[in-house]
Amino acid sequence: MMYSPGHQAKSLLFRFKDLSYTLGGERILDSVSWECRVGERWWIQGRNGSGKSTLMKMVCGHIWPDPPVREQRVYYQDGQLRPSPLTFRNRVSMVSPELQKKYYRVFNRQTVMAVVSSGLFNTDYLYQELSARQKTKVIEFHTLFNLCQLRERRVGTLSNGELRRVLVARALVSDPHVLVLDEICHGLDAEKRHDILDRVKKSMLSETALIYATHRKDDPLPDATDFLVLEAGRVCSITKAQKTSPARISPKPKINSPLSHGSRSDSVEKNLEKPNTIEIHHADVYVGNHQKVVPILHSIDWEIRKGENWLICGPNGSGKTSLIKLIYGDLHPAAGGKITRFGFPQGRSSWKTKELIGYLSVDLQINYHEKVPVPDVLASSWTSSIGLTSKPTAKQKKVIDGLLDRFDLSHLSTRSFGSLSFGEARLILLMRSLVHQPQLLLLDEPFDGLDEVYRGVFLKMIQLLVSQGNQFLLVTHFRSEIPSETTHFVELKKGAINRIGPIKSLNDPLSG
């Protein structure tokens, strides 16, 4: 179907009028009025928890507004306005962190070819044979998104950036009326961020309406025509792109006092006095099974001394996350390699050393069960587990309540982890890495999905923790996210250390 933008009614795609949405007694969207027309490019802005992801799901017809539904949400279909999105949502495509998580966890055995092909029908699986014309189009999009060499690969084996290209190709292959992109650049280095936005621009029809959300000014929406700013579930402003977007709300989190809610054992304190926090010698790391083993880290020799704070940098696929996992204890060196943590011998139980580490990673967010209550996610920090192995004590509950209050997130205490937006979930996992007062923070792209205010809040928190004698190792693709307390850097390339030294000697900190 081709649109005729000349007529105002026909150019309308959907209209919301005083639409609200409530989840678990909390109003997520509140009296939202908005309409979208053919060819518009909307940049949705707002703080974490403002309702951006929920609004996008509402556009796609994945959730329903509070009653009365009639007249609150209407879509232009087959020459007339309809209140139901059931037919229209087949012409809406969405890419989001939640969708990528689903493909890693649930649909991971599908091939790249099958996933892109399923986009023609907007289904989770490919249920029918493709016509010759459809096959030609799918191959065309494999070429457009540089997927030809990956087409027989299972999506569960793809890197973060590779799967993102697959999902964007899947979203665009059907020439949707509306394309919804929620934080599609998260976790990508500067080159891959620019690449994927450029591919979207080149492969999208001019009449397709684009709805886009990101917290980063480095990832602007190509050819934006309109801004919509949300605040606490309400539309705060709608402006044309030529005008200056309104300022965002000031933060409230209370972080002026350092964390202090427990003490470490004498044996732990004694070991923390040793000069090196981490020592790695001749470490090679492999992953795989009896059929195929793949090397992911090569000849790692590295020492982290007391008082040092490190930036781990390098392009996507260079081994940064694997190095973090090695230090945490989720990966192990092959025979001949050695790692010592906090002066403890290598045979020491990893659970004991994990008590001293605060950990955040993309895998942790993917693997957490969606139905787990937010307080239980935070409490699992004490046992370094995904889910609870025992009920939190009264003292631990008090710490959790205090931390949620400190960051003005008490309203999330009644929510399940799966009901949170990507940014809210990342906030909770960041808090989880802090709640047990760790000696060392391992933070793998911790600020992805966070708004500018919360990024500043947690950078301030890191500063306070360092002033207490804590240390951090941090992965990021953004120079603005390198804490001022960083003392050293290690740059990885193809699983090996490429450069290493004091942070002041890194002349090109990051390219984005």
Side-chain angles (χ1 to χ4, degrees), residues 101 358-368 374 377-378 380-381 409 417 420 422-435 441-443 446 458:
K101 176 179 178 178
Y359 178 64
L360 183 145
S361 72
V362 175
D363 286 353
L364 189 63
Q365 190 156 342
I366 290 173
N367 292 329
Y368 235 102
V374 163
V377 174
L378 294 172
S380 68
S381 175
L409 295 173
F417 190 71
L420 305 181
F422 176 74
E424 288 172 330
R426 185 57 58 94
L427 280 170
I428 293 301
L429 291 180
L430 256 175
M431 293 170 59
R432 178 186 180 275
S433 72
L434 302 173
V435 72
L441 289 173
L442 300 180
L443 303 176
F458 277 99

Side-chain angles (χ1 to χ4, degrees), residues 250-265:
S250 299
K252 293 182 180 179
K254 303 173 277 293
I255 61 157
N256 293 324
S257 59
L259 292 173
S260 180
H261 45 252
S263 59
R264 303 185 183 95
S265 68

